[in-house]
Each structure stands twice: as C-alpha cells, then as structure tokens.
Amino acid sequence: MLSLGTILLILLVLMVLSALWAVMATDLLRSTIALALTSVFLAIAIYMMGAPLAAVFELSVCAGLITVVFISAISMIKPEGNTRKEDLARKRRKRLKKYIPLPILLAVAGVLLWLNRVDLPFTPDADVFPLTLSEIMWDVRRVDIAGQAVMILVGVFGIVVLFKEFVRRGKGGEE
Amino acid sequence: MENLFWFLTSFVALLFIIGLYALLATRNLLRILIGMEILTKGVTLLLIAAGFLAGRQNAMQPIVITMIVVEVVIIAVAAGIVIASYRNNKTISVRALRNLKG
C-alpha cells in the first residue's frame, strides 16, 4: 500500500505537469482542459489531506464551472487567422521557442528546492480542534458567508451588465 | 516524508513559477486568466497544506471555500470583460486595452 506522502507526490507532480501543459499548449481549448485537469489533481490531493468539502468545491467550481466559463468565452472569440497545417506548425514552433525556458526553470527550481530543504518549525498542536466544520461556517465565519453571497451577486450583476450592453448594441445594429 | 510542509511548499513555489511565467510571457487576455488561475491554485494548496499539517482542517476549509467563490466571480467577470474587449477591438491582446487611457 502506498503511503500518503507517495500519493501526494504523484498527485502534485501530475498537477504541476498539467499546469505546465495549460501554459504551453498552442490551442486555447487544450489549455483550458489542462487547467481543469490541474484542478482535478489538486482536488484529489485536497481530499487526501482531509478536507472533503474544499475538495468538492475545487472539483465542482474550479474544474467544472470555470472550465465552462473559459470554453464559452473561447467559443465567443473566434480564432484569428487561417488554420492551415503549415501555419499551425509555425505557430507551435514559435510558441515552443517562447516557452522552452519554463520547463528548464521548473526543473532547476525543483532540484534546488529539493536539495536545500529548510526545516520549518511547523508542528501540529497536540490538542484536538474543538469546533466542527458547520460550527465554524455558520457561527464563527458568518460574515464570510454573507460576503460570499455579496460576491456572487456582484458577479451576477457584472455579467448581466456586460451582456446587456451586447444585446443593446446588437439591436442598435452597431455590430 | 519527514518534512511534509517543505515538500508541499515546494509544489506551491513551482505553481507560482508557472503562473508568473504565464503572466509575463503572453499578451493574450485568456492566457493571462489561465496564469492567474494557476497562481490561485498555488494559494489554495498552501492554505490546505497549512491546515493539514496543523491538524486544523475544519478551520481552513471555510477560508478555502471563500477563496474559491471569490476566484470564480473574478474569472467570470474577467471573461465577460475579455469578450467585451474582443467585440470592441476584434482582438484579445492586452495591447488593445491601450485605448482605455483617457
């Protein structure tokens, strides 16, 4: 049976690789899918670290909702230029040249971090945490919940205002 | 794993390197949002790691949930702004935002 440290190592390495893919992919759609994959690996890691509610939020919101938002944005923004094979290959080569320092930088940073480990004084407290999750969410952090509701309303109003503008312009025949 | 906090923090650092590089290397607005997302994932991992190692998962989860809600609202509004920018300028390059200056 694998230990928790080994499982976390595998998950986090996969997460970093998919984040790298999200940044380096030529196609925006593939970048978005890679980003969703990053969220999936992070959500599994979060679950393994004993935070199931945060894992569910990460999986449903970050891997689901944000991917949908990105894909709908990409579908509204039509790709520019022609998509001939030669052009795509040229674009890919140009992109690779621009992003080739990133994996090298990551490898160097990874090796340096691994070799120069710092023993941070981070020891868990002996006593068990007294409050349950629901007590913290609904009693201690009540203001946060209200703040979240306000944030969601702000987001909804922001999107409504933006798309209202599009509809008005579309009707006015400006575009 | 004898030093789990350093091990997890190393991955946070790697995610930050990827996110910052993505922000610096591109002019595509959607790719900038992807870079921001990767940076936020680093912060999420750091919070989760701190809560996990302190044995305070219950205290940490509401903070992470709040952060995820804020993150999704920011991304949704930013995506709307990117689409609006595209409709006005026919491009999603940050250079097109120059015409915001008065």
Side-chain angles (χ1 to χ4, degrees):
Chain A
M1 204 61 187
L2 293 171
S3 68
L4 180 66
T6 316
I7 296 170
L8 282 179
L9 178 68
I10 295 167
L11 283 170
L12 295 179
V13 166
L14 286 172
M15 185 189 71
V16 167
L17 287 178
S18 45
L20 195 61
W21 183 31
V23 171
M24 289 184 77
T26 318
D27 190 12
L28 263 174
L29 208 58
R30 283 190 189 159
S31 286
T32 311
I33 291 164
L35 191 67
L37 210 59
T38 312
S39 287
V40 170
F41 290 128
L42 181 60
I44 301 170
I46 291 173
Y47 183 78
M48 297 300 292
M49 285 190 264
L53 200 66
V56 167
F57 259 80
E58 177 72 27
L59 195 62
S60 58
V61 177
C62 292
L65 186 60
I66 289 181
T67 309
V68 171
V69 169
F70 270 121
I71 289 175
S72 42
I74 292 165
S75 67
M76 284 183 197
I77 298 161
K78 293 178 196 85
E80 291 162 16
N82 48 16
T83 49
R84 283 188 307 163
K85 267 189 180 174
E86 304 89 61
D87 288 340
L88 274 177
R90 193 159 45 83
K91 209 173 159 187
R92 204 165 284 146
R93 272 200 301 276
K94 199 177 157 192
R95 195 164 175 75
L96 195 67
K97 206 185 278 178
K98 197 174 177 183
Y99 281 91
I100 205 70
L102 181 57
I104 299 166
L105 196 66
L106 274 186
V108 172
V111 169
L112 284 177
L113 285 167
W114 189 257
L115 291 178
N116 302 304
R117 267 173 278 181
V118 178
D119 192 17
L120 295 166
F122 204 95
T123 46
D125 295 336
D127 56 328
V128 179
F129 195 60
L131 297 170
T132 62
L133 183 60
S134 56
E135 280 170 343
I136 292 174
M137 276 197 85
W138 302 113
D139 299 336
V140 180
R141 297 206 161 268
R142 205 178 289 160
V143 183
D144 278 13
I145 302 288
Q148 284 181 41
V150 172
M151 273 306 285
I152 290 169
L153 277 174
V154 167
V156 169
F157 280 125
I159 292 168
V160 165
V161 166
L162 282 168
F163 282 87
K164 193 176 152 196
E165 182 77 3
F166 297 158
V167 172
R168 198 167 58 77
R169 286 196 170 194
K171 276 183 186 167
E174 279 181 42
E175 286 191 9
Chain B
M1 217 47 80
E2 79 281 359
N3 195 346
L4 203 54
F5 187 66
W6 183 250
F7 160 74
L8 292 168
T9 317
S10 307
F11 281 97
V12 175
L14 295 183
L15 280 178
F16 263 72
I17 290 171
I18 297 175
L20 283 175
Y21 197 94
L23 286 182
L24 293 173
T26 185
R27 292 196 188 91
N28 185 322
L29 283 168
L30 278 178
R31 287 197 187 277
I32 287 175
L33 289 188
I34 289 174
M36 273 171 59
E37 267 289 295
I38 292 171
L39 284 174
T40 322
K41 298 222 181 307
V43 178
T44 311
L45 182 60
L46 191 59
L47 282 172
I48 295 283
F52 170 62
L53 293 165
R56 296 276 193 268
Q57 281 98 333
N58 287 351
M60 160 272 293
Q61 284 190 81
I63 300 173
V64 173
I65 291 166
T66 310
M67 208 189 77
I68 289 172
V69 170
V70 174
E71 175 190 347
V72 75
V73 169
I74 287 172
I75 292 294
V77 174
I81 291 170
V82 171
I83 295 165
S85 169
Y86 177 76
R87 298 217 172 168
N88 287 323
N89 305 310
K90 298 294 168 206
T91 176
I92 49 168
S93 170
V94 278
R95 286 179 189 277
L97 298 180
R98 273 183 191 164
N99 56 15
L100 285 177
K101 62 185 175 188

